[in-house]
Amino acid sequence: MGKSDVAIAGVGASGYYRRGESHPQTIQELLGKALIAAADDAGIPIRDIDGFAYYSNAQAGYGVTMETAALMHALGIPEVTFSATLTMGGGGSAGAIGLAAAAIRNGDAKVVAVTMGLQQGAQRLGAVFGKQAPTPARSFFTAPGMAGPGPGMAPLARRHMHKYGTKREAFAEVAISTRINAMTRPKALIKTPLTLDDYFNARMVADPLCLHDFCMESDGAVAILVTSADHARDLRHKPVHVHACVHGGSADWGGAFLWHNMPDDTYASSGHRTIAKRLYERAGMSAADIDVALLYDHFTPMVVMQLEDYGFCGIGDGGPFVESGAIRMKGGSIPVNPHGGHLSEVYVIGITHVMEAVEQLRGKAVNQVQGAQTALVTGGPAPVPVSSMILRS
Amino acid sequence: MKLVPFPTSETIIAVDAWTAPVWQAAARGQLTAPRCSACGKFHMQPAPFCPSCLSQEFTWPILSGRGSLYSYTFSKLSRESQDGYCVAVIEPEDAPGIRIVSNMVDVDSDDLAVDMLVEIAFFQPLADNFALPMFRPLKGAARPSDPAPSA
């Protein structure tokens, strides 16, 4: 089960910046630097890129489009034979690798770049719903003040606390363990120690979520190069295989999210249960086979709920599970986000998690999980599609 | 923290043929939701088809305005403000299977509780003569114990 015909051959990133500090670089410049770095990493000329696969509707944040033609022009890429995107938002960050893999398998392109960049100087994602033109659908949640993803997620966290007895200490542990990982990463944007007291003394933003439950606001870009495993074997690094990759989601959660009409049994969840099942079936694996997990951490409770939905613990048990130290690099049963994630390293809409998975499976990560041979990467929780994949060395 | 309606002076409501009845009813001081004429199920948000049976025929029953607080979040109006607003997810008592997103008022944030019984306090006017129902604790109702993990 699983596949071994497609691999990731190169990863690269621009610099990482606090919100607005990447100015005066443009988004094309940040993306270009990431693509150049990824081609260098793979050991191929950048003109060998002949395909682009995006997610989030090829939007670098909201209202900024990643244009294939502009990237070709800027980087001297003479011709592409594939250019496509997954729909919606950050939920597609893992799934875009599957889109690239489909292009490789179909013979549409030989080297497909998956890229994402973000500059939040002009528009902060945390307040984005209120800034977008009103639509009939959005009006139902913008009118009462659900201005961004934070107030959208907070009621799920509260229902999880009510239904299962989950404590804020569990959310704190996600923030603290992720911070510990970031502290040894040269490129991480937040490396100051975080204690439980710091957590409980922090400003409440959308109760029960405080400042440390939110991902950071930042600028940066990352590129991932996907090619055939045969081609990858001739390149600079050991290939990292795209073992299985899925995207999609259920109408129950991914359709009802943000207007909060999910059924009670899935309301306090990450919206990943159906695709988690499909991923493991496709991979021929279970949670026990995963060595390191790169979980989309825009909000700490969503890490807890993904751990449940991907079977690392029982449904409702995520709080005690993380509080036991299970996700720590030192002594944990499933190390989560050794790169510091969205919470402490940088937030570039999920793609840094893909890059970290590749570095882990090459055995060359800054915070290396010893002997890691399999990595789970997730995109979302967000409206359909969410996505996930298992990479292996 | 004292909870007030979310400031709506700049809120613009977009409607289409399927969502307009909700906002028009609110402007008249009534709470409604679409109910499929064929299969009888309520659904939110309003859409061109009943997701259960694909009918396009709906009725718009006037709901009692009572229900329960399924979940919620609250924030300060601004970092400097002493007041806050509560985004509330409400389950109407007479429209099974749906929830609506609104605000809680006439209550301190410390006194909110998941599953507490609520009722409409008043309709907050919005631009273009639309309105949004504001909920408060149901008068005379006991407060549910909170938090109460279900075994």
Side-chain angles (χ1 to χ4, degrees):
Chain A
M1 298 271 270
K3 297 201 171 185
S4 56
D5 56 340
V6 174
I8 293 173
V11 295
S14 72
Y16 299 153
Y17 308 86
R18 296 291 193 121
R19 176 174 70 88
E21 292 179 1
S22 61
H23 180 81
Q25 296 172 91
T26 63
I27 193 72
Q28 303 292 359
E29 183 174 352
L30 291 178
L31 293 168
K33 286 177 175 172
L35 287 158
I36 290 167
D40 285 348
D41 181 59
I44 60 172
I46 197 162
R47 56 184 289 118
D48 282 8
I49 294 172
D50 60 357
F52 283 87
Y54 307 97
Y55 56 100
S56 203
N57 282 327
Q59 299 281 299
Y62 288 83
V64 179
T65 301
M66 295 183 281
E67 294 179 15
T68 297
L71 293 172
M72 292 170 72
H73 171 72
L75 298 170
I77 295 170
E79 184 178 9
V80 301
T81 53
F82 185 84
S83 180
T85 182
L86 291 190
T87 52
M88 207 57 210
S93 56
I97 302 295
L99 180 62
I104 300 295
R105 291 195 179 107
N106 201 42
D108 287 329
K110 291 186 173 64
V111 179
V112 178
V114 175
T115 190
M116 176 53 82
L118 183 62
Q119 291 181 298
Q120 293 206 62
Q123 174 58 57
R124 304 172 70 174
L125 296 193
V128 71
F129 299 153
K131 303 296 181 192
Q132 292 171 309
T135 67
R138 270 202 295 277
S139 291
F140 283 102
F141 54 85
T142 54
M146 205 167 273
M153 295 284 181
L156 279 60
R158 186 180 305 284
R159 190 74 193 177
H160 199 278
M161 295 168 77
H162 175 80
K163 191 177 175 84
Y164 303 117
T166 309
K167 296 185 290 189
R168 284 189 65 210
E169 281 81 353
F171 307 152
E173 166 59 20
V174 174
I176 290 168
S177 63
T178 309
R179 178 65 53 83
I180 290 169
N181 295 344
M183 285 166 64
T184 51
R185 296 270 298 177
K187 283 185 77 174
L189 293 180
I190 307 182
K191 289 186 276 201
T192 49
L194 178 66
T195 67
L196 200 57
D197 278 349
D198 295 334
Y199 177 89
F200 278 100
N201 290 330
R203 179 166 65 88
M204 195 60 89
V205 180
D207 196 291
L209 304 185
C210 73
L211 192 63
H212 298 299
D213 294 311
F214 281 65
C215 65
M216 72 176 75
E217 299 178 288
S218 49
D219 299 355
V222 171
I224 312 288
L225 300 187
V226 182
T227 188
S228 69
D230 286 342
H231 187 203
R233 270 190 289 276
D234 297 332
L235 301 179
R236 181 168 291 159
H237 294 283
K238 180 174 75 167
V240 170
H241 296 93
V242 183
H243 184 71
C245 185
V246 297
H247 76 264
S250 68
D252 271 1
W253 199 97
F257 174 62
L258 291 179
W259 57 94
H260 294 265
N261 272 249
M262 305 86 106
D264 184 62
D265 63 342
T266 56
Y267 182 86
S269 81
S270 72
H272 273 260
R273 278 181 207 165
T274 58
I275 74 156
K277 181 170 182 289
R278 194 152 45 89
L279 179 72
Y280 286 140
E281 285 172 0
R282 189 172 277 194
M285 291 182 178
S286 71
D289 299 310
I290 304 299
D291 295 329
V292 56
L294 290 307
L295 303 182
Y296 197 99
D297 55 336
H298 44 4
F299 298 97
T300 58
M302 286 296 143
V303 173
V304 174
M305 295 182 211
Q306 286 178 85
L307 287 163
E308 297 174 1
D309 289 348
Y310 279 92
F312 294 103
C313 60
I315 301 297
D317 297 336
F321 181 70
V322 298
E323 285 187 77
S324 75
I327 65 172
R328 294 228 175 183
M329 282 293 291
K330 282 188 184 167
S333 56
I334 178 66
V336 170
N337 295 347
H339 59 323
H342 293 150
L343 295 165
S344 290
E345 189 201 34
V346 67
Y347 173 67
V348 193
I349 319 183
I351 198 164
T352 52
H353 294 51
V354 180
M355 185 164 71
E356 173 68 7
V358 171
E359 293 180 351
Q360 287 286 341
L361 298 178
R362 287 176 178 174
K364 295 180 177 174
V366 173
N367 297 318
Q368 180 65 42
V369 175
Q370 290 308 316
Q373 294 185 318
T374 56
L376 170 69
V377 186
T378 67
V384 172
V386 291
S387 64
S388 56
M389 65 179 167
I390 294 172
L391 301 180
R392 70 174 168 74
S393 55
Chain B
M1 183 162 56
K2 183 188 173 193
L3 298 175
V4 301
F6 179 70
T8 51
S9 54
E10 294 179 17
T11 303
I12 298 168
I13 303 299
V15 300
D16 61 26
W18 302 102
T19 69
V22 171
W23 298 104
Q24 289 162 350
R28 296 191 302 268
Q30 295 174 325
L31 179 65
T32 189
R35 183 180 196 188
C36 175
S37 300
C39 73
K41 286 185 180 162
F42 284 93
H43 68 97
M44 276 296 275
Q45 303 179 344
F49 305 95
C50 168
S52 298
C53 72
L54 302 185
S55 167
Q56 292 198 278
E57 300 296 322
F58 301 100
T59 59
W60 298 85
I62 305 305
L63 304 178
S64 71
R66 289 185 298 274
S68 59
L69 181 60
Y70 183 76
S71 196
Y72 59 93
T73 181
F74 54 89
S75 304
K76 282 185 169 185
L77 285 173
S78 68
R79 279 203 211 187
E80 300 74 32
S81 177
Q82 298 301 306
D83 294 342
Y85 66 97
C86 169
V87 178
V89 181
I90 308 285
E91 290 192 335
E93 64 173 7
D94 45 1
I98 67 163
R99 303 190 193 106
I100 58 175
V101 183
S102 181
N103 292 154
M104 287 291 293
V105 295
D106 298 349
V107 61
D108 190 276
S109 58
D110 289 342
D111 295 325
L112 293 168
V114 170
D115 289 342
M116 75 192 303
L117 299 179
V118 300
E119 63 186 356
I120 290 177
F122 58 89
F123 283 81
Q124 176 77 358
L126 303 175
D128 300 324
N129 292 321
F130 291 126
L132 188 68
M134 299 284 116
F135 288 81
R136 68 185 174 203
L138 180 66
K139 295 230 164 111
R143 188 174 178 276
S145 59
D146 180 52
S150 61

